[in-house]
Amino acid sequence: MNHLLTIGDLEPGQIQNILDLSDKLHQSPEPVMQGKNIAFVFEKPSLRTRVGTEAAINHLGGRVIEINPDLIFSSSMAVPFTSRESLKDAMMNVSQWCDAIFARVYNHATLKKLAGYGTIPVVNALCDQHHPMQALADLYTLQQKYGKEQSLVISYVGDANNVAFSLIEIGLKFGHTLKFAGPPEYSWNEGQLEYFSFLAAEHGGTFLQTADPVEAVFESDVIYTDTFISMGEEHLFDEKIKHFQPYQVNGALFSKAKSSTGFMHCLPAHRGVEVTDEVIDHPNSWVYSQAQNRMIVSKGVFATILAGETKEIETKGA
Ligand code: CP
Ligand code: NVA
């Protein structure tokens, strides 16, 4: 494993290995990252991803070096003196000092550029389309609750966003049933739906899409939601929010599922918008376990990435 940009980059066996290694390193920490420097560059705010991952790296003996995003992402060759230096030069420099880069960006294309210009592994800390670190922690959480063998019905109610995409990918790769409910205006495009059908057929899972949240949560083992307005979409608030009111995960919707059904949310949550207090504070809510597992799973990800690390700085053209 070189980069981790999407869940689609990983085979189910690789994912399970990461989760198993995460568990092992959490139970018996080892200084497998001693002497390793991980660059953090965040274009958007973060609590869980930034702090949880830094704590994980510290537990394994590594260090984090925070880079001001302006030093990397204002890079442009197009207009001289409007930016500090090119992205290529910035990444080739960071590659001399750091062992991996953990980046939260607005556009997925930016991660591909980081991977293309640098010579160190790039790990996606969230972009507009994917949140693989969250999905790994979510699968780990589901395995804690239900074991590794059980086939689950995972219902996602809300926006067709980065968190939902990575959750659907990982769930289908493990043969689960994914039921998605959201307003048709903000749902998956044809290409995404074809991809989900392909994953379901390949791994023996099922993907179902409906506009009816009650249908989505019927016989569900877990109901998942996320914000209706993601970072970078704040200008769409008025336009989007009116479509999402029927998709709030509240006591009435939660009661349509089983008494054992869990609730998950990647956080940050907007209490009273996509989820009500009675659900997020319910005994079956696993949101704080998810947050703890973000840290645990970061250990397996970075230990795996660094174990496969190869430095090619001399040969890749300075
Ligand atoms: N779930 C998650 O990624 O949270 P942060 O945005 O706080 O990192
Ligand atoms: N979909 C949200 C997730 C935050 C962790 C966003 O991108 O803002």
Side-chain angles (χ1 to χ4, degrees):
M1 188 165 94
N2 192 13
H3 306 293
L4 174 49
L5 302 190
T6 75
I7 290 297
D9 296 340
L10 300 172
E11 296 300 325
Q14 290 177 295
I15 294 172
Q16 194 59 57
N17 285 345
I18 290 171
L19 301 190
D20 292 345
L21 179 61
S22 301
D23 207 35
K24 180 170 172 278
L25 289 171
H26 181 59
Q27 305 298 334
S28 328
E30 293 171 40
V32 293
M33 292 184 69
Q34 192 76 46
K36 303 292 185 187
N37 289 308
I38 310 302
F40 273 31
V41 58
F42 281 59
E43 278 191 300
K44 307 190 221 184
S46 169
L47 178 66
R48 280 143 290 272
T49 307
R50 181 189 293 257
V51 182
T53 308
E54 181 162 351
I57 290 168
N58 290 342
H59 287 159
L60 300 182
R63 298 287 294 265
V64 167
I65 297 179
E66 182 86 30
I67 302 179
N68 181 333
D70 291 344
L71 293 177
I72 300 249
F73 298 127
S74 67
S75 307
S76 161
M77 295 289 270
V79 187
F81 300 106
T82 58
S83 66
R84 207 157 179 273
E85 60 186 315
S86 73
L87 185 59
K88 176 182 175 184
D89 288 347
M91 273 308 291
M92 280 306 292
N93 278 257
V94 172
S95 298
Q96 316 291 323
W97 311 312
C98 295
D99 300 281
I101 183 164
F102 190 44
R104 171 167 285 197
V105 299
Y106 281 103
N107 296 311
H108 186 70
T110 306
L111 292 170
K112 290 189 176 169
K113 286 185 194 166
L114 294 179
Y117 286 137
T119 59
I120 53 175
V122 178
V123 179
N124 184 353
L126 178 148
C127 64
D128 54 340
Q129 298 169 27
H130 304 273
H131 199 358
M133 299 294 279
Q134 182 68 51
L136 289 166
D138 293 338
L139 182 64
Y140 185 88
T141 305
L142 288 169
Q143 291 187 350
Q144 275 183 330
K145 302 293 178 189
Y146 289 110
K148 295 180 189 171
E149 305 304 326
Q150 196 172 330
S151 186
L152 300 174
V153 178
I154 301 167
S155 303
Y156 185 100
V157 178
D159 192 23
N161 66 13
N162 44 9
V163 168
F165 190 88
S166 294
L167 179 76
I168 292 169
E169 271 188 309
I170 208 164
L172 291 177
K173 278 182 180 247
F174 277 71
H176 297 305
T177 294
L178 268 294
K179 297 207 241 169
F180 176 87
E185 296 84 349
Y186 295 96
S187 198
W188 307 107
N189 64 37
E190 283 304 314
Q192 290 167 322
L193 290 172
E194 278 173 25
Y195 175 56
F196 295 154
S197 299
F198 164 79
L199 286 179
E202 191 174 23
H203 300 286
T206 306
F207 177 75
L208 298 166
Q209 177 169 259
T210 172
D212 179 0
V214 176
E215 186 186 339
V217 305
F218 180 67
E219 301 210 319
S220 173
D221 294 303
V222 61
I223 301 172
Y224 200 121
T225 194
D226 180 20
T227 183
F228 298 148
I229 313 289
S230 285
M231 290 179 278
E233 295 191 329
E234 291 80 1
H235 60 288
L236 297 177
F237 181 89
D238 290 341
E239 185 186 317
K240 275 187 90 174
I241 202 72
K242 54 181 183 260
H243 298 278
F244 281 91
Q245 194 275 332
Y247 300 95
Q248 181 188 68
V249 182
N250 51 34
L253 183 63
F254 204 50
S255 71
K256 298 286 193 295
K258 301 181 284 192
S259 59
S260 59
T261 299
F263 172 72
M264 293 174 75
H265 189 311
C266 59
L267 304 182
H270 304 89
R271 288 169 176 257
V273 184
E274 73 269 12
V275 60
T276 56
D277 287 345
E278 65 188 315
V279 174
I280 199 168
D281 295 328
H282 191 278
N284 291 8
S285 171
W286 303 331
V287 297
Y288 303 129
S289 298
Q290 288 174 268
Q292 189 198 25
N293 292 339
R294 290 297 311 274
M295 178 187 71
I296 294 174
V297 165
S298 294
K299 297 181 183 183
V301 167
F302 279 93
T304 302
I305 288 272
L306 294 175
E309 178 191 8
T310 50
K311 287 242 177 190
E312 302 169 7
I313 288 170
E314 299 305 326
T315 55
K316 200 170 170 181

